[in-house]
Amino acid sequence: MGALSIFSIWGIIWAWLLIWQGILLFQGAGAIEAAFNAEDEAQLTSAFAKLKTFFTLEGVYFIILVAFTILSFFIFGAAMLAMVGGAAAGG
């Protein structure tokens, strides 16, 4: 099922975001190493900006995940109440 998800719009967007995050981490690591070797503070600031983008995206992913989890709890709870209510009414 996971391999087939790339054929959906959401799968393509999700894969693109994960690839972008990998590129950000790779570029950030290279920039940190170059800044360390050259002792260049401007390069270090640029590297930290890439890391900031990465962690901002991770934070957004986490907020979306928590929102979907809470939403699924409400949907599941409403379904359970409907089933219990239907059984109690003699349905």
Side-chain angles (χ1 to χ4, degrees):
M1 184 66 177
L4 295 177
S5 68
I6 64 166
F7 296 118
S8 70
I9 297 297
W10 292 113
I12 292 170
I13 292 171
W14 188 258
W16 176 78
L17 288 173
L18 292 176
I19 291 170
W20 182 35
Q21 282 188 300
I23 291 170
L24 285 172
L25 284 178
F26 186 73
Q27 289 175 344
I32 287 174
E33 185 177 2
F36 178 75
N37 291 334
E39 296 181 10
D40 185 10
E41 192 172 322
Q43 264 186 325
L44 187 62
T45 303
S46 171
F48 284 148
K50 291 183 187 307
L51 290 178
K52 177 187 173 198
T53 304
F54 170 79
F55 284 111
T56 301
L57 286 172
E58 282 295 313
V60 170
Y61 291 160
F62 183 74
I63 290 170
I64 291 171
L65 175 69
V66 169
F68 277 132
T69 302
I70 291 171
L71 181 65
S72 67
F73 282 148
F74 281 124
I75 291 171
F76 181 73
M80 291 300 291
L81 286 175
M83 284 191 291
V84 169

